[in-house]
Each structure stands twice: as C-alpha cells, then as structure tokens.
Amino acid sequence: MSGSIQAPAIDARGITRVYKAKPKDVTALAGIDLEVAPGEFFGLLGPNGAGKTTLIKILTTLLLPSAGTARIFGFDVATETRKIRRIMNMVAGGEQSGYGILEAREQLWMFSQFYGLGAREGWRRVDELIDAVGLAEQRNQRVSTLSTGQRQKMNFARGLLNDPWVFFLDEPTLGLDVSAARSVRELIVGWRAAVPGRTVLLTTHYMAEADELCERIAIVDRGRILAIGSPAELKRRVQRESIFRLELDRLAGGPGGLARLPGVVSAVAALNAPADPDAPVRQAVVINLVLREDSALAGVVAALDGLGAHIVALAKSEPSLEDVFVELVGRGFDDNEEAARSNEVPVEPHEAGQPDPEEKR
Amino acid sequence: MIDAGLVEGERFDPGRARGRGTIDLLRSFRTAAALGWKMEANWTDPVLFFIYSVAKPVASALILVFMLQVIAGPAGIALRPFVIVGSALWSFVVSGVAGLAWAVLDDRERYRMLKYIYVSPSSFITILLGRGIARLAVGAMGAGITLAVGVIVLGVPFNLGDIDWLLLAIVLVLGAVTICALAVVMAAVCLQTRQESWDYPEVVVGALFLVVGAVFPLSVLPLPLQAFGLVSPLTWWIAGVRQALFPGGPSSIGGPGSLWQQLAGTLNPSAFEVVVALLLSGAVVTLASAILFRSGEARAKDRGLIDRTTGS
C-alpha cells in the first residue's frame, strides 16, 4: 500500500511492544488499535508508564513494534520510514536537547538542510519560524544560553521546518512553567488552525491540556487503550446525571420545593453567602441541583418564577477527565506510579528514568 | 497564526514523500560536516584544541623518538622517519575511527539530538560520516604538525622532490576510505552500547597499533600476529605513506625472516603490491562495515537504543 491523502493519518493495528528486561519482560504496549483522521487533533492521555511514549516512538519510526502494523498516511512505519520522515515531525518535552555551541538560528538551519530545504529556502523558513514562535530576540543566541521554555520553542520551530502532515508531540509542556506551557499550547493551536488538514497526535498526562486541545482522546493505561472519544463523550460515560450550581437571590421555603419537581434528583443548599466577599451582603441562596437530564432544567426555571426567586448565576458542573480515568481504571493518575512499582508495571524510559528496556522479544 | 509560508493544497503533494536523492545526500553531508567542524574542532576553546589536536600527537611522537634514541643510540636516528611517520599517521587513525562513534554518543547522551536526527529524512549514515569527517580533518592537522615537528625539530631528512606523489595520493584516498569504514563499524558498536563506550574506539585502535607496523616492523611479531597485520588495510596504508614520503626507507611489512618474505619471496612489497593489498583489504573492510552498520542500526532500532540515554 502506498501513501495517500485518502488514507488515515495514523492507522495502528494490534501494536504490541515487549521489552526484555530483568527480572521479567515488560509489556509496554499490549495490542493498540488506533485510527486518526487527517486534520484531527488527537490526544493520548495516560499516567507515566502507560505506553504513550512507546507508541509515539513506533509511529515516528524510532522503534519497531514487536507485533502489529502501523501506517502514517498509508506508509508502513517498518518499511517506508524515509517517506514517513518527510511528512511528519516530532517534538518531545521534558528534556534539554540542542547543540549548545550553535546559535538558535544555526541549529534550525542545520535541520532545514537535513529536511531537504535549499540553503536560501532554509534560512527563509528558519527566520519565519523563529518569528512565529517568538524567539526573534534570541535568534543569534547560543542554544546553551536559552531557557527551558525558549529551547522548547526552538524545538517547536525545528518540528515545523518541514511543515509536517502529522505532528507528534510527546508531553510537549512537561517541565515548563505555566507561562511557557501556555505559550507552547498557543503555538500548537495556532499552527494547526492556520491550515486545515494538519494532524496532531499529542501525548500528555495533563488532563486539562488534553481537554483543552484535543478533539478526540484515547485514555491509555498499562499499554492498552481503555476508551476513545471526544472529551465530552468520555465525560458523558461517567456523567449519568446533570449537575448544576444554581445561585438565586432568594428562595422562599428553601430548596426542598425544587427537589419535588419532575426530573430533579436532588436540590441541596450548598452555600448561603455571596461568592465575592467584597460584594454587598445579600440573601443569596446557592443550590447544588442534580437532574436526571438537562431537559429537566426548564421545569426548574419555570418553577422559580412561581417561587418568586430570580437566577443570579447558573453553571453546569461537568466531570473531569480524571473522573473518567478513575471510572475506567479504578484509581487516579497520582496512584499510578505507586501501583506501577508494586505491580512492576512498565515505566517508559522517556518518562521515568529508563528501566533499561534492553531487549525485545 | 503559524503557516510556515505554505498554502493549502501544497501540503499533500505526494512528491514530498519521495525526496531528491543525491542532492539531499550531499546537502546533509555538507551540513553535518560543517556542524562537526564547528563542534569537534573546539575552535571556541583554543587551549583544548591545542592540547588534543597538536600537543597530544606531537608528544606521543617525541616520546617514541626519545625511547628509540635511548635504546638504539645513534643507530636510532636512521629510524626516526619510520617512527615519526607511523606516529603521525596513528593520531590520524585515532581521530578518524573515533569520530563517528563519538558523534553517536555525543548526540545521544550529551545533546539529546540523535533521535531528531534519526527521524529526519536524511540518511543517518551520511550525517554521521559528515560529523566524522570533521574529526578526520582535525586528525590530519595533528598528523601534519607532527611531521613538521619531526622535520624541523628532530631533523628527519625530508625532500619534497623525493616524494612519490602518485603513490601518496592513491594511498591517502584509499586510507581515508578505510579509516571511515572502521569508524562506521565503531559507530555501529556504540549504537548498541552505553556511555562507557566513549573509550571503545581508542581501545580498538590501541590494539591495532601493535599489529599494523605503526612504530615497529611486523617482522618482530609472532607469525600469527604478522598474519593479522597483513590482512589489515591500516598496515598497507601506513606502509604506503612511508614508501611515498621516504622512498627506499625501511619497510614495516617485509624484512629478513618476515612472513611477507616467506609468502611472497621478496624482501619488501613493491609500491604496486602495497596499493593492490590496500585496495583489496580496504574493500573488504568497507563492505563489512556497511553490512555491520546496517545490521547494527536495525538492532538498535529494534531494541529501542537510538534514543536511550544513561542520565549523564
């Protein structure tokens, strides 16, 4: 099969990866099936050691699978590596990479040559990307003098040199401060939005990041995909009821009257004070309202008129992706490393100090 | 918004997946060589550059010359050209063979860039050769300076008019290819190993030093080691350069009672025989290195070693 635009951007079937290690073999991936459409922003969300980095290494032709096949726009990762490398690029976070002796602009130009750009075209593209990622002031600065965030921006510029069809981002904001991480996320979103069809595969263990950026997410744990869907779809899996936070100016008779309305599971006073401590004191009532479904809200709003109450604020409380993970796995992200240690779950080299995955079976 | 200067519709050109063959190779090689030169030559630290690229090879040569002087007395003076040439060439061998291996280890362990280079569409081996060629150039400078010190300071008789330029050109080209081939083998080895393999190239080259006639003739070695020396292209390369620079001087290969004399029936190999032996043994080593690198790269990729770091 040869590559084409009609093919899925990423098509992985039964990807398995087993490392031979002492005292026992480590299964990093246990039969991953994944299809990402061209133009999609897809996320792999999972704790350290879930297998995300191993999968990205296989998809970027850095590592061979023990079993299974994977194709990038129809090109096989095992046999058509050169073709894949021309149409994809990757950026990893959490590392201090770069040739310290070179200036930022020089290093980028060097890679432009490795990506087959002509000398003049290479400089033009480098200058364009340096400006785009906000490194204009550092363009002639040595790489060794750049901050972690600046290095990551430079790394992004390198990853965009060949304008990849598929951009693999492996924990791109790992180790960055809040401001730098936000800046990097804006870069990703900006780059993708500029031209329709650009595909991104992002691995992260930051749930808010996955929620904010990804159109679809695969939740990964211990080498397996547990669920795939949009963030909203995934959350709906655990949200069997609709939860609202309702703030009223007053409520005669208390929230008990609301609890008896059709479709209302419960209505409980949550707080009897204004949210803003500096605001004038008023008799606000805050209610946690649990409904069987969203449509029951209309009946509640109609009933409030009859009770002489006016809505000050209304917000729907949604479950987080962590709730989804807990529902699927039975433990939180934070519990994972301890569980991994006690159960000898594989810990990915990139993510956790390399357990020396020497051999593949 | 980042559009990298591209417009919609340009992105899915199937031709992008094909590349431009030789042009891309040459561009990658040239760029890698420039990078290597900038990094390996330590131009930013002239003291380091002087120590490793000038003082070290010159000091090695001087040590050998003075040892010869102590042991052989006045007779040792006649052997100075032999020792100086061998010693100078050996610094070139060490730099060349270590170049690619150190590029692998540097990029993987120190700069953490090997994976990005590896997943670029350029030929991996071409980039490594580019990096290595810079170190070879630095080694050549060291060799040249050592020879100059030998001529100027130690009075080694040297006459430009006596040089067999054709032989010198041929053996230098063949020798450079052979050294690059050995460097490729070491790079393949270091792809499989950890950071302690920094010393591997020098260990291997140090072992070869004994059997290729660098500073003493093969005839002083036991026959099995002489046989090993005769199949090594480095032996023929060093002998060829000596023969080109100092025609009629002592040979490291032949001599009374040597294995060469027993096999060929002549005291020393002729220039033609040296070139043919270098060509054949160099071709075998080059072919073997290509196979070894290919299999070594495949093994490293299979076992996840391309981007493995050891936390140094």
Side-chain angles (χ1 to χ4, degrees), chain B residues 150-198:
Chain B
V151 173
I152 297 166
V153 178
L154 300 174
V156 169
F158 186 70
N159 188 347
L160 285 174
D162 291 342
I163 294 175
D164 184 340
W165 291 103
L166 179 61
L167 176 62
L168 184 65
I170 292 172
V171 294
L172 282 182
V173 170
L174 294 178
V177 171
T178 300
I179 290 168
C180 286
L182 290 170
V184 166
V185 173
M186 289 314 301
V189 169
C190 287
L191 267 178
Q192 322 297 318
T193 57
R194 295 159 182 270
Q195 62 169 331
E196 62 266 23
S197 50
W198 287 100

Side-chain angles (χ1 to χ4, degrees), chain B residues 7-8 10 38 47 51 59 64 67 95 109 112 124 130 135-136 156 166 183 193 263 280:
Chain B
V7 294
E8 191 178 358
E10 194 178 337
K38 187 148 190 166
V47 176
I51 290 171
L64 289 169
M67 282 171 62
S95 295
E109 298 278 351
R112 315 279 165 126
F124 186 46
R135 203 177 283 270
L136 204 62
V156 169
L166 179 61
T193 57
L263 294 173
L280 291 178

Side-chain angles (χ1 to χ4, degrees), chain B residues 50-107:
Chain B
F50 177 80
I51 290 171
Y52 286 105
S53 304
V54 180
K56 191 178 169 189
V58 170
S60 300
L62 290 177
I63 288 169
L64 289 169
V65 166
F66 288 123
M67 282 171 62
L68 185 70
Q69 188 71 26
V70 170
I71 294 167
I77 293 174
L79 288 173
R80 276 186 186 173
F82 185 96
V83 172
I84 286 290
V85 170
S87 183
L89 292 182
W90 205 248
S91 70
F92 181 66
V93 172
V94 173
S95 295
V97 172
L100 269 68
W102 287 350
V104 165
L105 295 170
D106 261 342
D107 278 16

Side-chain angles (χ1 to χ4, degrees), chain B residues 236-257:
Chain B
W236 299 100
W237 175 62
I238 291 171
V241 175
R242 277 201 185 104
Q243 210 157 321
L245 292 177
F246 300 100
S251 166
S252 55
I253 292 176

Side-chain angles (χ1 to χ4, degrees), chain A residues 71-142:
Chain A
R71 293 178 182 278
I72 306 296
F73 277 99
F75 297 122
D76 191 302
V77 296
T79 58
E80 296 176 284
T81 53
R82 194 66 63 83
K83 290 175 178 172
I84 290 173
R85 290 168 183 174
R86 288 198 178 92
I87 60 167
M88 70 90 192
N89 215 319
M90 69 172 290
V91 168
E95 61 185 14
Q96 286 276 324
S97 60
Y99 296 107
I101 198 171
L102 298 183
E103 293 173 2
R105 196 166 174 261
E106 284 178 323
Q107 174 162 311
L108 290 173
W109 182 80
M110 184 190 83
F111 270 96
S112 77
Q113 302 307 288
F114 294 159
Y115 279 100
L117 276 64
R120 198 173 302 169
E121 188 190 359
W123 284 121
R124 183 188 63 75
R125 182 71 62 84
V126 165
D127 287 337
E128 198 171 70
L129 286 169
I130 278 181
D131 290 340
V133 302
L135 282 180
E137 287 180 22
Q138 291 80 26
R139 70 176 67 220
N140 294 320
Q141 218 169 294
R142 278 195 177 183

